[in-house]
Amino acid sequence: MTSEGSRIQRLQDCGGPSKPQLQHRIEILKKWDLMPGSRILEIGCGQGDCTLVLADLVGEHGHITAIDPAPLDYGAPMTLGEAQSQLKSGPYGNRITFHQANLQDFLDSGASEPLYDYAIFVHSVWYLPSVETLQSMLLSLRGRAKQLLLAEYVLDIRGDIAALPHMIAAISQAEFNSRGEHSFDRNDNIQSIISPEMIRTAAVHAGWEFQREEITEAAEGLEDGRWEVGRVLSKEYLERSESCASKRRQEFANALIEAVKVSRRVLGPQPKVKTLPTWQCSWV
Amino acid sequence: MTSEGSRIQRLQDCGGPSKPQLQHRIEILKKWDLMPGSRILEIGCGQGDCTLVLADLVGEHGHITAIDPAPLDYGAPMTLGEAQSQLKSGPYGNRITFHQANLQDFLDSGASEPLYDYAIFVHSVWYLPSVETLQSMLLSLRGRAKQLLLAEYVLDIRGDIAALPHMIAAISQAEFNSRGEHSFDRNDNIQSIISPEMIRTAAVHAGWEFQREEITEAAEGLEDGRWEVGRVLSKEYLERSESCASKRRQEFANALIEAVKVSRRVLGPQPKVKTLPTWQCSWV
């Protein structure tokens, strides 16, 4: 087994997610050359998939403070609370602290360290309602972390039509959640499709200096594309779309759902939907 | 010159549109095997690009009644009125009658014939505000035409990423125009992205019996994809998007504009944006 293969096996044994999920996060994080022994603030950790990989990468002298405002009973088949507890009781438990908090409250609390080596967002930006929210978070982080590292999907299939269903599914979910300030569905993994250009601009406005950006292709078998397509093609999703008050909005939403279906059908009788590429960027 | 080549030359000499526009319409219409001498009602004729090809195909004993509610001073560089006048004064003029009217008013007027051989929509469905509007038109046409023929773009790039910029541009325009019952921009060629599934359902509800459907690839060089992308990437379009009252809607619209840009950039330094395929269907 390669050293990476054994790393993945080790992390799966601690209750980590699927092999492609771990592989994907390792590929992203390795490009950032994190210093061993680093103290990291991870924003939007969810069930802790990325937290676990970070804990492995920083070594025994590093520490990950992982925050997420989502309720601990959120998520299936395992809830956030259950998944986090499992990691805490495993071999990496002492390198990780979880907090159920939003960023501002956490930074204002006594629980926050004065200065982290890195503030990291991995696939947590599209959960945010808007780039305005992101920008205020990046502003709060100024002076609280030496480096800012961010990775999120990008609406760019780069010539591979197997990723098109994921792209249209992302547009569809974001369209629903953009309808009103107060109408959104927490069950959508995609609340907004904030683009690299918008993130770059927000970071600069928040006082961060651009370092480096790159695109990382989704790891083989990464399930996210398939999951988001499944969500959009579910009965519940169609019913939600059809309950929209405006007929024109409803038709528009239905046309997007049909476009997801068609773009998947093109991939053949056993369609293998690919996950969108990830754009990752660093600032100091 | 082939017989088709000389047909296109002949139609261009009468003030017809570009070669790809004529080629595209000939390819669509030929699949329907229109009977020579037919009397046709064409709905949403615009400048008369399709009307001219129809007039050629039906021969000297046929006649095309072409209706469009748009103001005669609409369109650039030639207005609807100017383009229609040019065709009327040309060799096909006596086979064509233009009416500035919506369908219901026209059918109710003395100008309508009791029964047409064909009622035809070619690239006029996405100008409609909704499939509800289409359905009521199809209902009005029941008993007034022997056959219903309809051709419109479809959100299906069929594996060709050169058509992706057109697809996202169509989604972007339709998104803007779906925002409110009374807010739409007449300058968008795409008011809605009504899908084949929605059209099939509307036609059945209106009492039409499905005959045959097929996909026709855009003729080489057909400009529509490039035009729609140009519209979405124009300064005027961005300003309109940024004037949207809701921040979230604004960000969503901007993310789509950026996705159009990115999908075009992928095609290389001299991107050749392809036009989406056309879905065409017939009913009796």
Side-chain angles (χ1 to χ4, degrees):
Chain A
M1 201 180 276
T2 63
S3 72
E4 189 149 308
S6 67
R7 181 197 297 272
I8 288 175
Q9 190 58 59
R10 192 166 71 235
L11 296 176
Q12 282 208 284
D13 292 345
C14 311
S18 73
K19 191 178 159 207
Q21 293 290 335
L22 289 168
Q23 181 77 44
H24 179 63
R25 282 162 180 77
I26 291 168
E27 282 169 18
I28 290 170
L29 297 175
K30 280 205 152 176
K31 290 191 180 170
W32 283 329
D33 290 325
L34 303 170
M35 292 288 290
S38 299
R39 305 194 72 78
I40 296 179
L41 177 60
E42 186 198 358
I43 298 112
C45 61
Q47 303 208 336
D49 296 351
C50 185
T51 321
L52 177 64
V53 181
L54 283 168
D56 187 52
L57 289 174
V58 296
E60 55 182 334
H61 301 299
H63 194 86
I64 321 300
T65 305
I67 67 171
D68 201 304
L72 295 179
D73 62 359
Y74 175 78
M78 214 184 252
T79 65
L80 239 66
E82 286 162 357
Q84 293 180 359
S85 295
Q86 187 174 34
L87 295 183
K88 277 300 290 176
S89 63
Y92 293 97
N94 60 351
R95 300 185 198 170
I96 299 174
T97 314
F98 286 110
H99 290 276
Q100 192 205 344
N102 72 40
L103 178 62
Q104 194 59 59
D105 291 346
F106 176 72
L107 290 176
D108 293 345
S109 77
S112 172
E113 299 180 23
L115 185 65
Y116 293 91
D117 294 306
Y118 307 99
I120 295 190
F121 295 76
V122 172
H123 294 307
S124 54
V125 170
W126 281 7
Y127 277 102
L128 300 176
S130 75
V131 74
E132 281 198 307
T133 309
L134 177 66
Q135 189 171 321
S136 75
M137 291 168 88
L138 300 185
L139 196 63
S140 306
L141 286 167
R142 198 70 197 136
R144 303 299 295 267
K146 295 180 196 162
Q147 280 192 54
L148 169 65
L149 306 172
L150 187 152
E152 190 49 278
Y153 294 122
V154 55
L155 289 186
D156 178 5
I157 63 171
R158 290 157 62 90
D160 191 343
I161 59 153
L164 187 57
H166 187 195
M167 177 166 168
I168 310 173
I171 291 173
S172 169
Q173 290 186 32
E175 194 273 332
F176 179 84
N177 292 294
S178 76
R179 285 183 191 189
E181 304 300 330
H182 305 293
S183 95
F184 60 91
D185 188 336
R186 188 41 81 192
N187 292 316
D188 287 330
N189 285 326
I190 301 162
Q191 295 289 320
S192 58
I193 42 173
I194 300 176
S195 69
E197 174 65 25
M198 290 155 82
I199 298 171
R200 274 190 298 257
T201 306
V204 166
H205 282 160
W208 290 91
E209 187 190 326
F210 174 86
Q211 292 285 103
R212 208 156 64 93
E213 65 183 336
E214 57 206 305
I215 297 280
T216 302
E217 285 287 338
E220 175 78 22
L222 189 69
E223 305 92 338
D224 297 55
R226 195 157 46 79
W227 287 337
E228 301 315 336
V229 167
R231 165 89 179 134
V232 169
L233 299 184
S234 69
K235 197 163 158 275
E236 176 200 348
Y237 195 90
L238 183 64
E239 282 167 3
R240 183 182 79 181
S241 161
E242 302 210 317
S243 71
C244 171
S246 152
K247 259 288 184 209
R248 292 187 74 169
R249 295 302 300 270
Q250 202 182 103
E251 286 181 10
F252 178 70
N254 286 350
L256 287 182
I257 293 174
E258 198 179 333
V260 170
K261 247 185 247 175
V262 167
S263 64
R264 193 176 65 159
R265 195 186 305 138
V266 169
L267 304 179
Q270 257 123 40
K272 280 206 173 175
V273 170
K274 199 176 156 183
T275 295
L276 284 167
T278 296
W279 171 79
Q280 55 180 108
C281 192
S282 58
W283 295 263
V284 291
Chain B
M1 202 182 272
T2 63
S3 72
E4 190 149 305
S6 67
R7 181 197 297 272
I8 287 175
Q9 190 59 58
R10 191 167 70 235
L11 295 175
Q12 282 208 283
D13 292 345
C14 310
S18 72
K19 192 179 156 201
Q21 294 290 334
L22 289 169
Q23 180 77 42
H24 179 63
R25 282 162 179 78
I26 291 168
E27 282 169 18
I28 290 170
L29 297 175
K30 280 204 152 176
K31 291 190 180 169
W32 282 330
D33 290 324
L34 303 169
M35 292 287 291
S38 298
R39 305 192 72 79
I40 296 178
L41 177 61
E42 186 198 359
I43 298 112
C45 60
Q47 302 208 336
D49 296 351
C50 186
T51 321
L52 177 64
V53 180
L54 282 168
D56 186 52
L57 289 174
V58 295
E60 55 181 333
H61 301 299
H63 194 85
I64 322 300
T65 304
I67 68 171
D68 201 303
L72 295 180
D73 62 359
Y74 174 77
M78 214 184 251
T79 65
L80 239 68
E82 286 162 358
Q84 293 179 0
S85 293
Q86 188 175 31
L87 295 183
K88 277 299 291 178
S89 63
Y92 294 94
N94 59 351
R95 301 185 198 170
I96 298 173
T97 314
F98 287 110
H99 290 275
Q100 192 206 343
N102 72 40
L103 178 62
Q104 194 61 58
D105 291 346
F106 176 73
L107 291 176
D108 293 345
S109 75
S112 171
E113 299 179 23
L115 185 66
Y116 292 92
D117 294 305
Y118 307 99
I120 294 189
F121 294 76
V122 173
H123 294 307
S124 53
V125 169
W126 280 8
Y127 277 101
L128 300 176
S130 75
V131 73
E132 279 198 308
T133 309
L134 176 67
Q135 189 172 321
S136 75
M137 291 168 87
L138 299 186
L139 195 64
S140 304
L141 285 167
R142 199 70 196 137
R144 304 298 296 267
K146 295 178 195 164
Q147 279 193 55
L148 169 65
L149 306 172
L150 186 152
E152 189 50 278
Y153 294 122
V154 57
L155 289 186
D156 179 4
I157 64 170
R158 289 158 61 92
D160 190 342
I161 58 153
L164 187 57
H166 187 195
M167 178 166 168
I168 310 172
I171 291 173
S172 169
Q173 292 185 31
E175 194 273 333
F176 179 84
N177 292 295
S178 75
R179 287 184 189 187
E181 304 299 330
H182 304 292
S183 96
F184 61 91
D185 188 336
R186 188 41 80 193
N187 292 318
D188 287 329
N189 285 327
I190 302 163
Q191 295 288 320
S192 59
I193 42 174
I194 300 175
S195 70
E197 175 65 24
M198 291 154 83
I199 297 171
R200 274 189 298 257
T201 306
V204 166
H205 283 160
W208 291 92
E209 186 190 328
F210 174 87
Q211 292 285 103
R212 207 157 65 95
E213 64 183 337
E214 57 205 304
I215 297 279
T216 302
E217 284 288 338
E220 175 79 21
L222 190 69
E223 304 92 338
D224 298 54
R226 194 158 45 80
W227 287 336
E228 301 314 338
V229 166
R231 164 89 180 135
V232 169
L233 299 184
S234 69
K235 196 163 159 273
E236 175 199 349
Y237 195 90
L238 184 65
E239 283 167 3
R240 183 181 79 181
S241 161
E242 302 210 317
S243 71
C244 171
S246 152
K247 260 289 183 208
R248 293 187 74 169
R249 295 302 299 270
Q250 204 182 101
E251 286 181 10
F252 178 71
N254 286 350
L256 288 182
I257 293 174
E258 198 179 333
V260 170
K261 248 185 245 174
V262 167
S263 64
R264 193 176 66 161
R265 195 185 305 139
V266 169
L267 304 180
Q270 255 123 40
K272 279 206 173 175
V273 170
K274 200 176 156 182
T275 295
L276 285 167
T278 295
W279 171 79
Q280 55 179 109
C281 193
S282 58
W283 296 263
V284 290

